Amino acid sequence: MNAQDVETNLDCATPDDPDPFRSGATTSRADRPIELSVIIPAFNEEESLGYLYDRLIETLDPLGINYEVILVDDGSSDRTFDELSIIAARNPHFRIIKLRRNYGQTPAMVAGIDHARGRVLVTMDADLQNDPADIGMLLETLNEGHDMVVGWRINRQDKWLSRKLPSLIANRLIAKVTGVNIRDNGCTLKAFRSDLIKRVPLYGEMHRFIPAMSSTLGCSVAQVGVRHHARQHGESKYGLGRIYRVVFDLVVIKTLLSFAQRPTAYLTGTAVIAGMLSIIGIGAALYAALATPEGSAVVYMSSSILFGSLALFLGLIGIIAATIHHANADVTQARIGEWSEW
Ligand code: UDP
Ligand code: MG
């Protein structure tokens, strides 16, 4: 997604709106750093948004912390943006990001994550299938010392054959392939330390693989049971097509994770094979030069030089990959270590 594809009207809340946190004393919540950002992607969710606003306010105001809610309109074609604008005008804690077209849930979440200012980030859906009332519990669990808290839907209100069964199989498969055992990868309700989630590369439909993608950072993940409700308004944006996309993403993630853990192993392994082929080429060229008069030694020698160059090239890239990997690991550890409880 290019920068010009994101329109932020982050200041669309009118400044003269009554704000319980800005009135009165100078030490109001709005003066303090933002502790929590709730990120909610919405694609054609016009009917749910009013209820979502009420439920969020009910939950977030009593927490007594400075928060923001970032609502990302993922190129909706209905009145979603108008509804979001009304909400943002009513309450300055709510900010809107508008994407120019429908990019999908993961890019919409990433846009929200990039713009979030809170120390802790919570992600959830806009259709109220996740319950905002669970946010407090997620924050408490995060404060027990975890980097990420992942919800699992205790009593999932979706169809069994088309939704729950494929999910069950996908969760088992993801656990086996990635080695990260998460009960319910498809549950969007999660809480993260902001510095951690901002470092996780997410694209395609990888919002379902955040714990696996974060595993290279060595973070501590807790899982908590959360409520789940049947969709009351609008329609699900996914059909059975998600199954093949999950399998495809899984292959990509497995490759990324294996390579990220041992970047030099793959490169030096291939370099060694190329080096051996180069040596065999030299042997064959020598044999051909001495034993056969047809001049095939030139062909063997050329192949040998090609394989030798490849081995050298891959070896050098391996060294660079190892250097970057170690430097990055140090920075990541240092950043993670900087965080303290809020
Ligand atoms: N969503 C989005 N862009 C998309 C598809 C979905 O922002 O292209 C949002 C959607 O509005 C909802 C969340 O992602 O807030 C989850 O989508 P949905 O409820 O359709 O998924 P399901 O619960 O059926 O798995
Ligand atoms: Mg839903």
Side-chain angles (χ1 to χ4, degrees), residues 52-108:
L52 177 72
Y53 174 76
D54 293 342
R55 299 286 290 119
L56 283 166
I57 291 294
E58 268 170 45
T59 297
L60 296 176
D61 281 354
L63 289 178
I65 56 175
N66 197 16
Y67 71 85
E68 64 179 0
V69 178
I70 301 184
L71 297 152
V72 185
D73 174 13
D74 185 18
S76 300
S77 53
D78 66 356
R79 293 193 71 257
T80 291
F81 182 70
D82 301 330
E83 291 292 327
L84 294 180
S85 304
I86 295 169
I87 289 172
R90 264 173 82 182
N91 189 332
H93 291 288
F94 285 69
R95 304 163 66 203
I96 311 172
I97 295 173
K98 180 174 168 52
L99 305 186
R100 289 194 201 285
R101 65 169 171 83
N102 176 231
Y103 280 91
Q105 192 175 345
T106 301

Side-chain angles (χ1 to χ4, degrees), residues 33-332:
I34 293 172
E35 286 137 45
L36 169 68
S37 301
V38 181
I39 294 153
I40 308 177
F43 175 50
N44 293 344
E45 302 285 4
E46 57 180 4
E47 292 151 279
S48 302
L49 297 173
Y51 301 104
L52 177 72
Y53 174 76
D54 293 342
R55 299 286 290 119
L56 283 166
I57 291 294
E58 268 170 45
T59 297
L60 296 176
D61 281 354
L63 289 178
I65 56 175
N66 197 16
Y67 71 85
E68 64 179 0
V69 178
I70 301 184
L71 297 152
V72 185
D73 174 13
D74 185 18
S76 300
S77 53
D78 66 356
R79 293 193 71 257
T80 291
F81 182 70
D82 301 330
E83 291 292 327
L84 294 180
S85 304
I86 295 169
I87 289 172
R90 264 173 82 182
N91 189 332
H93 291 288
F94 285 69
R95 304 163 66 203
I96 311 172
I97 295 173
K98 180 174 168 52
L99 305 186
R100 289 194 201 285
R101 65 169 171 83
N102 176 231
Y103 280 91
Q105 192 175 345
T106 301
M109 280 169 70
V110 170
I113 290 169
D114 285 349
H115 285 87
R117 298 170 298 181
R119 300 189 71 198
V120 168
L121 269 51
V122 165
T123 52
M124 61 177 287
D125 292 344
D127 57 0
L128 281 175
Q129 287 204 266
N130 299 135
D131 197 324
D134 286 323
I135 291 176
M137 184 216 358
L138 257 63
L139 297 182
E140 274 168 32
T141 313
L142 198 75
N143 261 348
E144 284 166 13
H146 300 287
D147 301 309
M148 181 185 307
V149 182
V150 181
W152 60 272
R153 293 163 284 188
I154 294 175
N155 187 13
R156 187 170 166 188
Q157 302 294 316
D158 279 323
K159 287 184 188 140
W160 188 82
L161 192 63
S162 59
R163 308 301 299 272
K164 291 204 227 175
L165 181 66
S167 249
L168 190 79
I169 298 168
N171 286 322
R172 297 259 164 90
L173 195 67
I174 293 168
K176 200 148 191 67
V177 172
T178 64
V180 182
N181 196 352
I182 298 294
R183 280 182 88 140
D184 186 2
N185 285 282
C187 179
T188 319
L189 188 56
K190 295 184 177 81
F192 312 90
R193 283 175 43 177
S194 165
D195 56 349
L196 178 119
I197 189 63
K198 281 178 185 268
R199 294 183 61 82
V200 178
L202 296 173
Y203 48 89
E205 296 202 359
M206 286 190 188
H207 62 275
R208 300 193 188 91
F209 297 95
I210 293 176
M213 289 296 287
S214 315
S215 63
T216 51
L217 300 177
C219 60
S220 140
V221 181
Q223 303 192 56
V224 292
V226 294
R227 284 164 270 209
H228 191 249
H229 306 291
R231 203 184 234 281
Q232 300 296 325
H233 308 282
E235 287 170 2
S236 171
K237 310 301 176 295
Y238 300 104
L240 286 174
R242 83 166 90 191
I243 293 176
Y244 90 86
R245 291 199 296 270
V246 165
V247 173
F248 181 76
D249 281 346
L250 195 55
V251 174
V252 174
I253 284 162
K254 176 67 187 164
T255 314
L256 282 176
L257 289 182
S258 312
F259 189 80
Q261 273 157 14
R262 296 186 306 149
T264 33
Y266 289 88
L267 292 163
T268 46
T270 321
V272 167
I273 294 170
M276 277 159 49
L277 287 172
S278 173
I279 292 166
I280 292 170
I282 293 172
L286 282 175
Y287 176 78
L290 297 174
T292 56
E294 295 97 42
S296 48
V298 178
V299 178
Y300 290 126
M301 204 57 216
S302 311
S303 326
S304 168
I305 291 168
L306 266 180
F307 281 120
S309 314
L310 184 63
L312 193 70
F313 179 71
L314 289 175
L316 287 174
I317 299 224
I319 293 169
I320 295 170
T323 313
I324 294 172
H325 180 67
H326 287 300
N328 206 30
D330 288 349
V331 171
T332 305

